[in-house]
Amino acid sequence: MDQYKNGQNIAAAEEQNIRTDFKESMTYGEYLHLDKILSAQHSASGHHDESLFIIIHQVSELWMKLILHELSAAIRHIEADDLQPAFKQLARVSRIQSQIIQGWDVLSTLTPAEYLEFRDDLGDASGFQSYQYRMIEFALGYKTKHVLSIYEKDPALHEELTKAFYAPGLYDAAIQKLARSGFEIDDSVLARDVSTVYESNDSVRKAWKEVYRNVDEHWELYQLAEKLVDIEDWLQQWRFRHMKTVERIIGFKPGTGGSSGVNYLKKVLDQYFFPELWQIRTDV
């Protein structure tokens, strides 16, 4: 007992400088604006389990905000031929993706009976409408113009999404880097309309094959390629966990926003963002 008390006394002595008076300085909660964050969960139904549903989606949106922050910076660094910072940023994106994937494990504790208690109160609101997810897709090169109409209700947001839609994506930056590194890339790719969905090209496939066959000579490009593969791999795992969670909770019912639900989520699993980086695994 004396030894326990001595330990407490030592610990108390070591923490004498902990600040307790914040009348004139900023607190942790103020810095993070926790009053706004923690009061942003407004239940439409009052059902106990709706809090789980709201918080999981809000947390995912915060993570997606950080993904977009890192992707934008990575694209700028690749365009400036400064790859080392881009590697760190892309690696961080992959770590964030793993966190979002784990969120589905928490949401999957919601049973069909529990979700039915408040599903109708969501109206037409649906994760399909997540504008940040669309911006991530745009940044990775998957662009479908018809989705922009979802956001016409908010002119400022619609303008932001339209700008992102017509901006070069991460893979565009990577392919341009291949060309600047001396690889022969077709002009049709280098001058392509970046608002269209990217399609596999033989010259790009040949360039990446050369990178993988001569890793020592093209070490930075090899690292870039693997970072891109990591991101697409994690995104497909996120999509798969999304699909299985939705199937577990609502089966094959249509989504609240009018999508086909699980059938739509299964279909997008076949999409590729960086097709040549997967094709060359057979070639090398």
Side-chain angles (χ1 to χ4, degrees), residues 6 9 15 49 55 58 64 109 135 139 170 190 215 219 272 284:
N6 288 337
N9 291 335
E15 303 301 338
D49 293 306
I55 290 171
Q58 287 181 337
M64 284 192 277
T109 64
M135 291 183 74
L170 179 63
L190 297 177
V215 171
W219 177 244
Y272 281 90
V284 296

Side-chain angles (χ1 to χ4, degrees), residues 28-282:
Y28 169 83
E30 289 169 338
Y31 173 67
L32 295 177
H33 296 279
L34 291 181
D35 56 334
K36 295 179 181 178
I37 294 174
L38 299 180
S39 62
Q41 295 73 45
H42 304 290
S43 173
S45 68
H47 190 274
H48 172 82
D49 293 306
E50 192 179 353
S51 291
L52 163 68
F53 192 80
I54 292 171
I55 290 171
I56 285 293
H57 286 84
Q58 287 181 337
V59 169
S60 294
E61 291 292 337
L62 284 171
W63 280 130
M64 284 192 277
K65 182 175 183 177
L66 186 54
I67 285 175
L68 287 167
H69 178 68
E70 299 297 338
L71 285 177
S72 296
I75 290 171
R76 290 195 303 269
H77 279 110
I78 294 168
E79 290 174 339
D81 294 325
D82 189 13
L83 294 189
Q84 291 303 318
F87 295 156
K88 176 62 180 288
Q89 288 147 358
L90 295 177
R92 183 174 291 162
V93 168
S94 294
R95 293 290 187 174
I96 297 166
Q97 289 174 296
S98 72
Q99 294 297 310
I100 296 180
I101 291 169
Q102 290 179 22
W104 294 120
D105 295 335
V106 182
L107 188 60
S108 67
T109 64
L110 184 69
T111 67
E114 290 165 346
Y115 185 45
L116 284 174
E117 291 290 331
F118 63 87
R119 188 182 190 226
D120 288 344
D121 293 289
L122 302 180
D124 293 326
S126 167
F128 184 83
Q129 299 149 15
S130 169
Y131 69 86
Q132 291 198 124
Y133 178 73
R134 294 301 173 192
M135 291 183 74
I136 290 172
E137 284 191 328
F138 293 170
L140 298 182
Y142 184 74
K143 300 181 179 182
T144 49
K145 193 170 185 179
H146 71 274
V147 302
L148 292 175
S149 61
I150 297 172
Y151 311 100
E152 290 176 348
K153 180 179 180 179
D154 185 337
L157 176 58
H158 185 265
E159 182 180 353
E160 183 181 358
L161 280 154
T162 301
K163 182 179 178 181
F165 184 84
Y166 287 102
L170 179 63
Y171 202 43
D172 294 309
I175 292 172
Q176 294 286 345
K177 175 59 180 173
L178 283 173
R180 291 195 302 275
S181 299
F183 291 95
E184 293 187 10
I185 305 297
D186 291 344
D187 290 339
S188 60
V189 176
L190 297 177
R192 79 181 194 88
D193 179 357
V194 296
S195 69
T196 60
V197 177
Y198 178 81
E199 295 183 3
S200 180
N201 174 269
D202 286 341
S203 68
V204 176
R205 181 170 178 168
K206 182 179 178 181
W208 285 127
K209 188 191 303 185
E210 176 68 18
V211 168
Y212 274 77
R213 284 182 170 172
N214 297 278
V215 171
D216 291 340
E217 184 180 349
H218 307 294
W219 177 244
E220 280 200 328
L221 289 172
Y222 173 71
Q223 285 182 286
L224 176 60
E226 284 298 288
K227 292 290 186 293
L228 298 181
V229 171
D230 285 342
I231 287 173
E232 178 154 357
D233 191 348
W234 279 113
L235 186 68
Q236 292 295 64
Q237 291 185 54
W238 181 90
R239 283 174 161 177
F240 179 79
R241 289 297 298 126
H242 184 188
M243 182 269 293
K244 294 306 293 184
T245 301
V246 170
E247 183 178 3
R248 175 172 177 156
I249 296 173
I250 68 168
F252 284 82
K253 295 186 183 75
T256 50
S259 75
S260 59
V262 169
N263 287 325
Y264 168 78
L265 296 173
K266 284 186 173 181
K267 182 173 65 176
V268 298
L269 286 172
D270 292 330
Q271 295 171 357
Y272 281 90
F273 295 101
F274 319 130
E276 295 91 351
L277 291 176
W278 296 94
Q279 294 163 356
I280 61 162
R281 271 137 170 87
T282 304

Side-chain angles (χ1 to χ4, degrees), residues 16-34:
Q16 286 180 7
N17 293 325
I18 289 181
R19 186 162 187 171
T20 58
D21 180 5
F22 288 92
K23 293 184 179 67
E24 304 296 332
S25 59
M26 181 172 59
T27 66
Y28 169 83
E30 289 169 338
Y31 173 67
L32 295 177
H33 296 279
L34 291 181

